[in-house]
């Protein structure tokens, strides 16, 4: 659903750019709370979540290279808003997807630069907000179990994709550069993206379930869901003694292991598996071509980039060129994403109020 230059006129593109910038600013403030707390201590929530957020951005980049067939001549790929929101929080999730969209637009000529505001509004803000609100609503009525988290992840991701299709249709209705009946755009966009949503839901649920199985404390959406264990003593239910937490060093080693497995998986997906992805146009491309929305598409500003179209220029072997481009993309995305999230967390920590008479934060005290 990467909108290219020329689909939406300049005034509406500018407005969505302002909306996107405001949402990113709000998300930076919200992400400070999600990523950090106020402690530098190893094993704290910020120590675990900040590197995971960079990994989530890289993983989304990698999986977006894996187009899967959804109908005759049409493919889809992960949008990632639901996955990011559930794993690292809604504000951090908006930043994760925004980093991916920025890297794709600048380095790979995927998604127009003048349409960056449209894409962030549609693919980052809409999917994250819709998915997380639905996810939290479902968890409020479902049993407090890991299976409920996985099931809620599936449903939230499923509906986030057609929601993004609806938002694109609304933006097109306001600023589309071609004269196509909006009812035709709406029907085609929502129809194909309902199918794509099934793939989004499966990928999201499988990924969330995998992390829950090994480190449930790393899943932002699962925090605080474990009901206290009850023991029956003398006919009455009482709270069982709290389990002794694992040492900080052990948690840190476990987090590094999860991060390592995740980055290797992302590199394999982008560098090798992506060669076998569907070559059919994705949902937006198919609808745009069939309905004539793409009549005024303009050439991408970075069409001559060495990595344009996810292929390294001047390398004749298509498999090698595409795989190397994917590996570079994962590396750049994890570096930029991790840098952003560490900076956000550092600012949160450095701005925390100090306890008078000490050199420690209130949390450390």
């Amino acid at each position: 659903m990467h909108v290219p230059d020329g689909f939406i006129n300049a005034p509406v593109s500018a407005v969505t750019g302002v909306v996107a910038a405001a949402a990113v600013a709000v998300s930076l403030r919200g992400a400070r709370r999600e990523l950090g707390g106020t402690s530098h201590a190893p094993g704290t929530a910020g120590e675990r979540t900040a590197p995971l957020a960079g990994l989530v951005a890289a993983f989304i980049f990698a999986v977006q290279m894996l187009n899967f067939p959804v109908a005759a001549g049409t493919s889809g790929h992960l949008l990632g808003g639901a996955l990011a929101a559930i794993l690292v929080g809604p504000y951090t999730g908006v930043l994760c997807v925004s980093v991916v969209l920025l890297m794709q637009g600048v380095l790979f000529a995927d998604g127009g630069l003048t349409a960056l505001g449209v894409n962030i509004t549609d693919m980052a803000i809409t999917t994250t907000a819709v998915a997380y609100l639905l996810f939290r609503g479902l968890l409020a009525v479902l049993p407090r179990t890991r299976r409920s988290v996985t099931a809620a992840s599936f449903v939230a991701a499923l509906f986030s994709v057609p929601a993004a299709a609806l938002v694109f249709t609304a933006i097109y209705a306001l600023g589309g550069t071609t004269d196509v009946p909006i009812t035709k755009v709406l029907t085609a966009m929502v129809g194909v993206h309902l199918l794509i949503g099934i793939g989004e839901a499966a990928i999201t649920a499988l990924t969330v379930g995998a992390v829950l199985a090994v480190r449930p404390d790393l899943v932002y959406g699962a925090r605080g869901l474990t009901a206290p264990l009850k023991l029956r003593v003398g006919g009455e239910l009482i709270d069982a003694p709290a389990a002794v937490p694992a040492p900080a060093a052990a948690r840190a080693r476990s987090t590094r292991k999860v991060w390592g497995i995740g980055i290797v998986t992302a590199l394999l997906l982008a560098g090798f598996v992506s060669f076998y992805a569907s070559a059919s146009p994705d949902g937006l491309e198919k609808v745009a071509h069939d309905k004539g929305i793409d009549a005024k598409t303009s050439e991408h500003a970075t069409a001559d980039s060495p990595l344009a179209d996810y292929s390294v220029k001047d390398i004749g072997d298509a498999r090698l060129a595409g795989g190397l481009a994917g590996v570079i993309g994962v590396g750049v995305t994890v570096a930029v994403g991790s840098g952003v999230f560490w900076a956000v967390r550092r600012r949160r920590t450095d701005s925390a109020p100090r306890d008078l008479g000490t050199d420690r934060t209130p949390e450390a005290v």
Side-chain angles (χ1 to χ4, degrees):
M1 200 181 289
H2 294 76
V3 179
D5 297 314
F7 274 27
I8 307 299
N9 63 30
V12 174
S13 294
V15 170
T16 58
V18 173
V19 170
V24 168
V26 171
S27 296
L28 285 169
R29 295 180 62 87
R32 291 175 200 161
R33 296 189 297 271
E34 294 171 351
L35 291 172
T38 56
S39 175
H40 285 290
T44 58
E47 288 287 335
R48 298 191 302 266
T49 308
L52 182 63
L55 173 61
V56 168
F59 184 78
I60 289 172
F61 174 90
V63 180
Q64 283 196 2
M65 293 183 67
L66 308 181
N67 281 48
F68 49 84
V70 294
T74 310
S75 69
H77 63 70
L78 182 81
L79 298 186
L83 177 62
I86 294 164
L87 286 180
V88 293
Y91 295 109
T92 308
V94 169
L95 298 180
C96 282
V97 181
S98 297
V99 166
V100 173
L101 293 171
L102 181 61
M103 295 300 99
Q104 291 170 331
V106 172
L107 297 179
F108 298 92
D110 188 11
L113 296 184
T114 63
L116 184 60
V118 175
N119 286 321
I120 290 176
T121 300
D122 196 29
M123 295 178 65
I125 302 169
T126 300
T127 58
T128 301
V130 169
Y132 196 72
L133 288 173
L134 183 54
F135 175 79
R136 298 307 307 184
L138 290 170
L139 288 186
V141 297
L142 292 172
R144 299 162 66 88
T145 66
R146 295 180 187 179
R147 288 184 179 180
S148 295
V149 174
T150 304
S153 301
F154 184 95
V155 176
L158 173 63
F159 285 98
S160 70
V161 178
L166 283 171
V167 169
F168 168 78
T169 303
I171 293 173
Y172 178 81
L174 293 173
T177 56
T178 54
D179 187 18
V180 178
I182 197 63
T183 53
K184 291 185 177 180
V185 177
L186 176 64
T187 302
M189 283 293 293
V190 174
V192 71
H193 285 91
L194 275 171
L195 298 176
I196 295 173
I198 297 173
E200 177 99 12
I203 295 170
T204 300
L206 287 171
T207 306
V208 170
V211 180
L212 279 173
V214 295
R215 285 293 301 274
D217 59 307
L218 292 180
V219 179
Y220 181 90
R223 292 180 184 175
L225 287 179
T226 304
L229 180 64
K230 298 287 186 179
L231 297 178
R232 186 174 295 277
V233 178
E236 295 183 359
L237 289 176
I238 63 172
D239 289 339
V244 177
R251 293 198 302 270
R253 286 194 299 271
S254 179
T255 301
R256 287 194 294 269
K257 183 177 180 180
V258 170
W259 195 93
I261 293 173
I263 198 65
V264 169
T265 301
L267 289 170
L268 287 174
L269 292 175
F272 177 73
V273 181
S274 62
F275 184 78
Y276 301 98
S278 173
S280 299
D282 67 22
L284 177 59
E285 291 173 328
K286 179 66 173 176
V287 172
H289 177 73
D290 290 348
K291 305 302 179 183
I293 296 174
D294 59 356
K296 296 185 179 180
T297 303
S298 56
E299 186 178 20
H300 199 284
T302 62
D304 294 329
S305 164
L307 299 174
D309 296 324
Y310 300 94
S311 180
V312 178
K313 188 178 292 186
D314 298 329
I315 293 183
D317 187 289
R319 185 192 298 265
L320 178 60
L324 185 56
V327 168
I328 293 172
V330 168
V332 173
T333 303
V334 76
V336 173
S338 296
V340 169
F341 300 127
W342 276 116
V344 169
R345 179 178 179 267
R346 176 68 62 179
R347 183 172 179 180
R348 163 74 173 176
T349 303
D350 291 345
S351 63
R354 300 275 176 177
D355 185 57
L356 295 178
T358 72
D359 190 34
R360 295 176 294 170
T361 64
E363 181 180 6
V365 176

